[in-house]
Amino acid sequence: MGTSVQSTQPAPKASARPVEQYDAIIIGAGVTGLYQLYRIRQLGISVRLFDDGDGVGGTWYWNRYPGCRFDSESETYGYSFSKELLEEWDWKEHYSGQPENERYLNYVADKFDLRSDIQLNSRLASAVYDERANRWDLEFEDGRRARAQFLIGAVGILSARFTPPFEGTDSFKGRSLHTGSWPKEPVELAGKRVAVIGTGPTAVQLITEIAKEVGHLTVFQRTPNYCAPLRNSLVTPETQERFKATYPEIHKRIRETPAGFAYDFDPRKTLEVPREERLALYEKLWTQPGFSKWLGNFHDIMSNREANEDFAEFVRNKIRARVKDPVVAEKLVPKDHPFGSKRIPLESGYYEQFNRDNVLLVDVNETPIERVTPKGIKTTDQEHEFDIIVYATGFDAVSGSLTRIDIRGEGGRTFKDTWADGPRTYLGIQTAGFPNFFIATNSAFCNYPVCAETIVEWISDCIKYMREKGFNRIEPTPEAEEAWIAHAAELASHTFLSDTKSWFMGSNIPGKKRQLLLYANSAPKYRAEITQVAASGYEGFTLE
Ligand code: NA7
């Protein structure tokens, strides 16, 4: 290197850049976007995928914080669409870690030669619908421009990072990190004074991993969770063979269960089962890996409060038994929300971290955070000094990843305004007034890839149908959209999720309207509904 070469040409202005033309553009190179690219390509139309990361993987690219891993069983998380891929890929752990998951998605990108149609380091700034031409005009932050008939947002439901608006956040002189954009280079934690804000599933994984490494860790907790043992282990060669031999059965099963996991609820009613028998089931579930304690429990723990409370108290006692200091233990015990009304963090030694001398739990309900200072975090009772502050404070879920982009549809209406009171869609897939814009996200409560594959296939089948029948434009009728929203709200009213503060309800974000952001039907029923609409010739949509 050495000499610096100065260009005599002025940098081209954004508007002077040529406009790249495609039939379809996909935004997001995560689990959904990669498969969407694979499927759209098969239609023989031109397609380009843009992502703002410098690698593929979406969630598994950005969330590279220590301890990040699946809480789904690995064999249920991989794509099901390619027999070859299923045979080639070996999951090393039953609950695979982030580095391996990122490797898997890179392997997929290479295997199916997807990279030639992927443009990385491209953050979408705006997408504007040109009504006369029936095209979407996209502009990226680097000035690159592109135009396409179809726009597919595969931006994920948990990708818009949320950092609480504490006063003084920028004044901190140490290092501030968010778990959702953890640096690629190793973060030096040894001996450091570290703060973690948040105790959700992310923080639980992170805290467990770093407590032993840092000099001192202070955990700022607002709401304790019902964390349950993950019980991860290595996949033996025999089990690997069994996975490979039984993938068709595994996939059939996870397509039939309500949430896409290989668990069935116990059909008995909790309180009709004698106490000893109930406890025996709870203890058995507790020894099992994964979400069995939730999704393999009595079915009415998610609908009957008394039943729920019975199991919740069992979990509380498990927590109390693991934390030595009874005062700390009681702070870690959740009492303000039903078990399962928030995502259950799965842990591998989380509670024991609070028995360490170098770990301090600060309950911000007792001593609220007043501000971030140049040295650390000032609560109502003292200033805590840190080298690193980690925000494990979650995401502006479901809607945030789309409303943060400047998307404009018919008549210049903005997506942000249209969704100001929450997601407005028909089938979770399209919004009236935004023709040919597909939302490729898994909006049901479902193990992610199982449902994502369904949505991806629905969208590519829809585009195929349109091309075969000579249609150029699709959007839902306002009536169909309204009816879908009412139907989703009706289903939501039968859950007790609404009483709990969580990203499910949007209530983790100040000022966000409180409503269930996910579709509360079971995954098989949702799949049947959208399949029926496609089979009927896209009832509820206007095709031109
Ligand atoms: P979550 O589950 O939204 O957790 C965020 C955590 O951050 C949670 O403990 C919050 O407390 C806490 N938080 C947020 N704002 C504040 C403020 N202002 N003060 C103190 N604490 C705060 O996000 P995760 O990343 O852990 O998990 C998201 C999903 O990713 C998860 O469901 C899995 O599906 C994977 P709160 O509970 O709101 O009181």
Side-chain angles (χ1 to χ4, degrees), residues 158 164 166 198-202 222-223 342-343 392-395 501 503:
L158 292 161
F166 296 125
T199 51
T202 296
R222 189 166 64 184
T223 313
K342 296 169 77 167
R343 181 105 173 186
T393 42
F395 303 89
K501 191 159 166 256
W503 66 260

Side-chain angles (χ1 to χ4, degrees), residues 6 18 49 57 77 97 135 143 157 198 209 240 276 360 420 431 440 478 485:
Q6 267 212 304
L49 184 156
Y77 198 96
R135 289 291 180 275
I157 58 170
E209 191 66 24
Q240 195 73 254
E276 269 185 26
L360 172 71
T431 295
I485 292 167

Side-chain angles (χ1 to χ4, degrees), residues 59 63 65 71 158 162-166 178-179 197-204 220-225 336 342-344 364-365 369 391-395 501-504 507-508 510:
T59 283
N63 287 272
Y65 60 84
D71 48 19
L158 292 161
F162 169 67
T163 305
F166 296 125
H178 192 289
T179 47
I197 306 177
T199 51
T202 296
V204 167
F220 292 87
Q221 172 187 270
R222 189 166 64 184
T223 313
N225 273 304
D336 71 334
K342 296 169 77 167
R343 181 105 173 186
I344 302 299
V364 301
N365 301 296
I369 295 175
Y391 295 89
T393 42
F395 303 89
K501 191 159 166 256
S502 75
W503 66 260
F504 289 166
S507 44
N508 61 326

